[in-house]
Amino acid sequence: MPIFSVIIPLYNKEKFIEATLKSVLAQTYIDFEIIIVNDGSTDYSIQKVNQIKDSRIKIYHQENKGAASARNQGIEKAVGELIAFLDADDIWFDNHLEELYKLYIDFPECSLFASRYNILLSKEKTYIPEYKKIKNTYRGVVFNYFVSSEYYPVATSSSIAIKKDIFDKIGYFKTYISSGQDTDMWIRIALKYKIAIGNKITATYLQYIPNTLSKTHISFKTIKKFEEYQEFESQNVHLKKYLDKYRKEYALHYKIAGDSKISTELYSQIDPKNISTKFKILYFLPKLVLIYLLNLKRYLNRKGLEFTIYN
């Protein structure tokens, strides 16, 4: 049986899946299987996959149910010791699995293994995230996932591997969540298990691609139920601050979308200590001004200026 099961949920990524799949096949560590779950694609994505011949590729089909459901089917079909996820429009460097395997061997007490990644803001501009209280050269156990992920997440859906038996203990991805189901999974793991991080960049997240889930209008998303974390938040101030960042983000986007009820509810759940003066001023600006500033932020991102307003 292979060490890695690489799971790729696929939905309408005909322009990108070939490059993504080839980046897996180019890995220096070759003991893996590739599980592609076609989530009801309506374009030529699956035809692009069928053009690539490799015995390690396994394809499964389902009606369009979302990325969480596709990842769950992939986990069920997987036979590897480690599950490595990869979105169908992201790219791995050829040493990605090799570096994750080294983490797995060197830090057996951990259950999630994270590689460093960069963010492609445009075709020409790349940004390398930094993590709070983790040096760029550090390789080892993450002392506090929620503190380190305050600016950018240590774990992303294309840069980590997880011991397969962990899913039997904490459950699979929550299919009711259409935005942030991966964040929910990393939270559940970080609350109970240790996480190791490498010191090499081995994955690229393509932020600039249009029509990805992160660019979908908030009204068409179902976000995580924050009440599910209340017990843990009451005992963990770092988790509270981490989740309040997402509350701020969603509160702002719901306000822009015109849903003041949900926006106000989310804002009221934030600990006042976690609301900066900058964000407070921003939140209470008129909707039209917020729309202008959001578009300006996205424009600056494409020009290579990456920043967050939620801290």
Side-chain angles (χ1 to χ4, degrees):
M1 293 190 297
I3 293 294
F4 285 97
S5 291
V6 179
I7 297 176
I8 304 176
L10 177 62
Y11 178 71
N12 289 356
K13 288 293 189 292
E14 63 178 16
K15 295 181 180 180
F16 310 104
I17 183 58
E18 184 177 0
T20 297
L21 190 50
K22 286 183 177 179
S23 78
V24 181
L25 296 175
Q27 293 297 298
T28 55
Y29 188 89
I30 61 174
D31 190 10
F32 60 82
E33 64 173 349
I34 302 174
I35 298 175
I36 297 176
V37 181
N38 178 32
D39 187 36
S41 294
T42 58
D43 64 359
Y44 289 97
S45 293
I46 203 65
Q47 288 86 340
K48 292 284 187 179
V49 172
N50 287 331
Q51 292 173 4
I52 301 175
K53 305 301 180 182
D54 193 291
S55 61
R56 293 169 293 182
I57 300 175
K58 302 172 183 177
I59 305 172
Y60 300 93
H61 302 271
Q62 66 176 34
E63 296 179 359
N64 181 235
K65 298 178 182 179
S69 176
R71 290 188 183 115
N72 288 344
Q73 183 177 171
I75 295 168
E76 291 174 355
K77 302 294 185 182
V79 297
E81 296 179 27
L82 295 169
I83 303 294
F85 296 104
L86 177 60
D87 288 348
D89 50 15
D90 290 340
I91 298 292
W92 283 349
F93 296 5
D94 59 10
N95 63 337
H96 180 70
L97 291 181
E98 181 180 351
E99 292 302 318
L100 289 179
Y101 180 71
K102 289 177 181 177
L103 288 173
Y104 172 58
I105 295 300
D106 293 344
F107 304 100
E109 72 274 24
C110 294
S111 295
L112 186 151
F113 309 93
S115 180
R116 311 269 177 153
Y117 59 94
N118 60 27
I119 300 172
L120 201 58
L121 302 174
S122 69
K123 291 183 178 180
E124 297 82 23
K125 302 293 183 179
T126 301
Y127 180 80
I128 301 175
E130 294 187 356
Y131 313 114
K132 190 173 182 179
K133 296 189 177 181
I134 294 183
K135 294 181 179 179
N136 294 338
T137 57
Y138 178 75
R139 180 179 184 272
V141 179
V142 177
F143 85 100
N144 188 309
Y145 177 84
F146 305 115
V147 171
S148 297
S149 299
E150 184 175 329
Y151 304 141
Y152 290 91
V154 169
T156 74
S157 54
S158 292
S159 63
I160 53 92
I162 301 169
K163 291 179 179 177
K164 187 175 186 295
D165 62 0
I166 293 300
F167 297 103
D168 296 326
K169 299 172 182 176
I170 67 169
Y172 286 15
F173 289 91
K174 295 176 182 175
T175 56
Y176 84 82
I177 306 176
S178 64
S179 175
Q181 69 269 50
D182 48 354
T183 303
D184 169 77
M185 176 61 74
W186 317 151
I187 290 172
R188 285 189 277 152
I189 292 175
L191 283 170
K192 293 186 177 182
Y193 301 99
K194 293 182 179 180
I195 294 171
I197 188 171
N199 56 11
K200 294 182 180 179
I201 298 171
T202 66
T204 295
Y205 166 61
L206 277 67
Q207 179 171 288
Y208 77 92
I209 296 176
N211 301 322
T212 60
L213 182 60
S214 62
K215 310 300 185 300
T216 303
H217 196 279
I218 190 70
S219 299
F220 298 101
K221 296 179 180 181
T222 303
I223 65 173
K224 48 186 161 291
K225 297 176 181 177
F226 286 97
E227 59 266 26
E228 294 178 353
Y229 311 109
Q230 285 181 351
E231 180 181 351
F232 300 106
E233 286 183 287
S234 64
Q235 303 169 11
N236 189 326
V237 295
H238 303 299
L239 173 62
K240 173 62 177 171
K241 187 174 183 179
Y242 175 79
L243 287 172
D244 277 353
K245 180 184 72 172
Y246 287 98
R247 288 187 175 98
K248 285 183 280 188
E249 178 181 352
Y250 288 131
L252 198 59
H253 281 272
Y254 274 112
K255 181 176 180 180
I256 291 172
D259 195 328
S260 58
K261 180 180 179 181
I262 297 180
S263 177
T264 302
E265 182 180 352
L266 288 168
Y267 189 86
S268 68
Q269 295 172 4
I270 304 170
D271 187 329
K273 292 183 295 185
N274 295 332
I275 302 177
S276 66
T277 301
K278 176 183 69 174
F279 182 80
K280 185 179 295 185
I281 294 172
L282 183 68
Y283 180 77
F284 288 103
L285 288 174
K287 175 183 173 180
L288 290 178
V289 177
L290 290 175
I291 293 173
Y292 169 78
L293 292 175
L294 177 61
N295 289 330
L296 177 61
K297 179 180 185 294
R298 289 174 175 171
Y299 171 79
L300 293 173
N301 284 166
R302 292 194 297 271
K303 293 298 181 180
L305 181 59
E306 172 68 1
F307 59 91
T308 178
I309 60 175
Y310 304 115
N311 296 309

